[in-house]
PDB file of all heavy atoms in Angstrom:
ATOM      1  N   GLN A 448      60.391 -15.955  47.615  1.00  0.00           N
ATOM      2  CA  GLN A 448      61.521 -15.650  46.778  1.00  0.00           C
ATOM      3  C   GLN A 448      61.873 -16.893  45.959  1.00  0.00           C
ATOM      4  O   GLN A 448      62.362 -16.721  44.708  1.00  0.00           O
ATOM      5  CB  GLN A 448      62.738 -15.381  47.703  1.00  0.00           C
ATOM      6  CG  GLN A 448      62.650 -14.007  48.288  1.00  0.00           C
ATOM      7  CD  GLN A 448      63.669 -13.714  49.444  1.00  0.00           C
ATOM      8  OE1 GLN A 448      64.346 -14.736  49.766  1.00  0.00           O
ATOM      9  NE2 GLN A 448      63.710 -12.584  49.900  1.00  0.00           N
ATOM     10  N   GLN A 449      61.610 -18.042  46.393  1.00  0.00           N
ATOM     11  CA  GLN A 449      61.906 -19.321  45.612  1.00  0.00           C
ATOM     12  C   GLN A 449      60.782 -19.436  44.543  1.00  0.00           C
ATOM     13  O   GLN A 449      61.049 -20.007  43.446  1.00  0.00           O
ATOM     14  CB  GLN A 449      61.851 -20.554  46.548  1.00  0.00           C
ATOM     15  CG  GLN A 449      63.007 -20.574  47.553  1.00  0.00           C
ATOM     16  CD  GLN A 449      64.220 -21.246  46.929  1.00  0.00           C
ATOM     17  OE1 GLN A 449      64.275 -22.414  46.618  1.00  0.00           O
ATOM     18  NE2 GLN A 449      65.222 -20.365  46.598  1.00  0.00           N
ATOM     19  N   MET A 450      59.562 -19.023  44.731  1.00  0.00           N
ATOM     20  CA  MET A 450      58.525 -19.266  43.824  1.00  0.00           C
ATOM     21  C   MET A 450      58.658 -18.336  42.568  1.00  0.00           C
ATOM     22  O   MET A 450      58.209 -18.625  41.418  1.00  0.00           O
ATOM     23  CB  MET A 450      57.125 -18.923  44.505  1.00  0.00           C
ATOM     24  CG  MET A 450      56.742 -20.035  45.499  1.00  0.00           C
ATOM     25  SD  MET A 450      56.795 -21.653  44.782  1.00  0.00           S
ATOM     26  CE  MET A 450      55.393 -21.736  43.804  1.00  0.00           C
ATOM     27  N   ILE A 451      59.362 -17.209  42.677  1.00  0.00           N
ATOM     28  CA  ILE A 451      59.464 -16.255  41.480  1.00  0.00           C
ATOM     29  C   ILE A 451      60.243 -16.980  40.422  1.00  0.00           C
ATOM     30  O   ILE A 451      59.825 -17.071  39.300  1.00  0.00           O
ATOM     31  CB  ILE A 451      60.155 -14.928  41.901  1.00  0.00           C
ATOM     32  CG1 ILE A 451      59.108 -14.224  42.767  1.00  0.00           C
ATOM     33  CG2 ILE A 451      60.495 -14.096  40.654  1.00  0.00           C
ATOM     34  CD1 ILE A 451      59.672 -12.916  43.509  1.00  0.00           C
ATOM     35  N   PRO A 452      61.485 -17.488  40.708  1.00  0.00           N
ATOM     36  CA  PRO A 452      62.208 -18.187  39.544  1.00  0.00           C
ATOM     37  C   PRO A 452      61.486 -19.410  39.125  1.00  0.00           C
ATOM     38  O   PRO A 452      61.529 -19.871  37.955  1.00  0.00           O
ATOM     39  CB  PRO A 452      63.656 -18.458  40.167  1.00  0.00           C
ATOM     40  CG  PRO A 452      63.463 -18.286  41.561  1.00  0.00           C
ATOM     41  CD  PRO A 452      62.383 -17.304  41.805  1.00  0.00           C
ATOM     42  N   HIS A 453      60.836 -20.174  40.033  1.00  0.00           N
ATOM     43  CA  HIS A 453      60.173 -21.350  39.653  1.00  0.00           C
ATOM     44  C   HIS A 453      58.965 -21.032  38.720  1.00  0.00           C
ATOM     45  O   HIS A 453      58.908 -21.734  37.677  1.00  0.00           O
ATOM     46  CB  HIS A 453      59.488 -21.933  41.004  1.00  0.00           C
ATOM     47  CG  HIS A 453      58.494 -22.992  40.712  1.00  0.00           C
ATOM     48  ND1 HIS A 453      58.844 -24.264  40.489  1.00  0.00           N
ATOM     49  CD2 HIS A 453      57.183 -23.005  40.808  1.00  0.00           C
ATOM     50  CE1 HIS A 453      57.882 -25.025  40.360  1.00  0.00           C
ATOM     51  NE2 HIS A 453      56.689 -24.378  40.628  1.00  0.00           N
ATOM     52  N   HIS A 454      58.311 -19.924  38.911  1.00  0.00           N
ATOM     53  CA  HIS A 454      57.213 -19.603  37.988  1.00  0.00           C
ATOM     54  C   HIS A 454      57.816 -18.928  36.591  1.00  0.00           C
ATOM     55  O   HIS A 454      57.203 -19.214  35.585  1.00  0.00           O
ATOM     56  CB  HIS A 454      56.192 -18.703  38.630  1.00  0.00           C
ATOM     57  CG  HIS A 454      55.179 -19.397  39.561  1.00  0.00           C
ATOM     58  ND1 HIS A 454      55.363 -19.417  40.900  1.00  0.00           N
ATOM     59  CD2 HIS A 454      54.168 -20.173  39.260  1.00  0.00           C
ATOM     60  CE1 HIS A 454      54.528 -20.157  41.439  1.00  0.00           C
ATOM     61  NE2 HIS A 454      53.763 -20.711  40.517  1.00  0.00           N
ATOM     62  N   ASN A 455      58.826 -18.243  36.790  1.00  0.00           N
ATOM     63  CA  ASN A 455      59.493 -17.780  35.543  1.00  0.00           C
ATOM     64  C   ASN A 455      59.813 -18.948  34.660  1.00  0.00           C
ATOM     65  O   ASN A 455      59.801 -18.877  33.366  1.00  0.00           O
ATOM     66  CB  ASN A 455      60.757 -16.922  35.818  1.00  0.00           C
ATOM     67  CG  ASN A 455      60.313 -15.473  36.333  1.00  0.00           C
ATOM     68  OD1 ASN A 455      59.266 -15.075  36.127  1.00  0.00           O
ATOM     69  ND2 ASN A 455      61.314 -14.888  36.916  1.00  0.00           N
ATOM     70  N   ASN A 456      60.384 -20.037  35.318  1.00  0.00           N
ATOM     71  CA  ASN A 456      60.715 -21.230  34.634  1.00  0.00           C
ATOM     72  C   ASN A 456      59.571 -21.874  33.949  1.00  0.00           C
ATOM     73  O   ASN A 456      59.597 -22.311  32.737  1.00  0.00           O
ATOM     74  CB  ASN A 456      61.420 -22.168  35.505  1.00  0.00           C
ATOM     75  CG  ASN A 456      62.085 -23.352  34.725  1.00  0.00           C
ATOM     76  OD1 ASN A 456      62.866 -23.150  33.801  1.00  0.00           O
ATOM     77  ND2 ASN A 456      61.886 -24.532  35.133  1.00  0.00           N
ATOM     78  N   ALA A 457      58.414 -21.838  34.617  1.00  0.00           N
ATOM     79  CA  ALA A 457      57.248 -22.437  34.118  1.00  0.00           C
ATOM     80  C   ALA A 457      56.805 -21.700  32.786  1.00  0.00           C
ATOM     81  O   ALA A 457      56.372 -22.348  31.795  1.00  0.00           O
ATOM     82  CB  ALA A 457      56.068 -22.417  35.139  1.00  0.00           C
ATOM     83  N   VAL A 458      56.869 -20.370  32.918  1.00  0.00           N
ATOM     84  CA  VAL A 458      56.502 -19.609  31.647  1.00  0.00           C
ATOM     85  C   VAL A 458      57.403 -19.892  30.428  1.00  0.00           C
ATOM     86  O   VAL A 458      56.901 -20.173  29.377  1.00  0.00           O
ATOM     87  CB  VAL A 458      56.501 -18.117  31.995  1.00  0.00           C
ATOM     88  CG1 VAL A 458      56.444 -17.258  30.809  1.00  0.00           C
ATOM     89  CG2 VAL A 458      55.466 -17.721  32.978  1.00  0.00           C
ATOM     90  N   ASN A 459      58.804 -19.945  30.784  1.00  0.00           N
ATOM     91  CA  ASN A 459      59.659 -20.259  29.658  1.00  0.00           C
ATOM     92  C   ASN A 459      59.405 -21.791  29.123  1.00  0.00           C
ATOM     93  O   ASN A 459      59.612 -22.012  27.995  1.00  0.00           O
ATOM     94  CB  ASN A 459      61.138 -20.024  30.163  1.00  0.00           C
ATOM     95  CG  ASN A 459      61.550 -18.638  29.884  1.00  0.00           C
ATOM     96  OD1 ASN A 459      61.115 -18.014  28.934  1.00  0.00           O
ATOM     97  ND2 ASN A 459      62.425 -18.098  30.838  1.00  0.00           N
ATOM     98  N   MET A 460      59.174 -22.639  30.095  1.00  0.00           N
ATOM     99  CA  MET A 460      58.886 -24.031  29.564  1.00  0.00           C
ATOM    100  C   MET A 460      57.674 -24.038  28.705  1.00  0.00           C
ATOM    101  O   MET A 460      57.657 -24.773  27.679  1.00  0.00           O
ATOM    102  CB  MET A 460      58.605 -24.955  30.799  1.00  0.00           C
ATOM    103  CG  MET A 460      59.808 -25.323  31.627  1.00  0.00           C
ATOM    104  SD  MET A 460      59.463 -26.387  33.037  1.00  0.00           S
ATOM    105  CE  MET A 460      59.369 -27.918  32.183  1.00  0.00           C
ATOM    106  N   ALA A 461      56.652 -23.292  28.987  1.00  0.00           N
ATOM    107  CA  ALA A 461      55.489 -23.263  28.156  1.00  0.00           C
ATOM    108  C   ALA A 461      55.747 -22.702  26.822  1.00  0.00           C
ATOM    109  O   ALA A 461      55.325 -23.170  25.770  1.00  0.00           O
ATOM    110  CB  ALA A 461      54.348 -22.415  28.892  1.00  0.00           C
TER     111      ALA A 461
END
Side-chain angles (χ1 to χ4, degrees):
Q448 290 170 350
Q449 292 275 290
M450 291 306 286
I451 293 168
H453 171 75
H454 283 99
N455 285 341
N456 191 51
V458 169
N459 274 326
M460 287 180 82

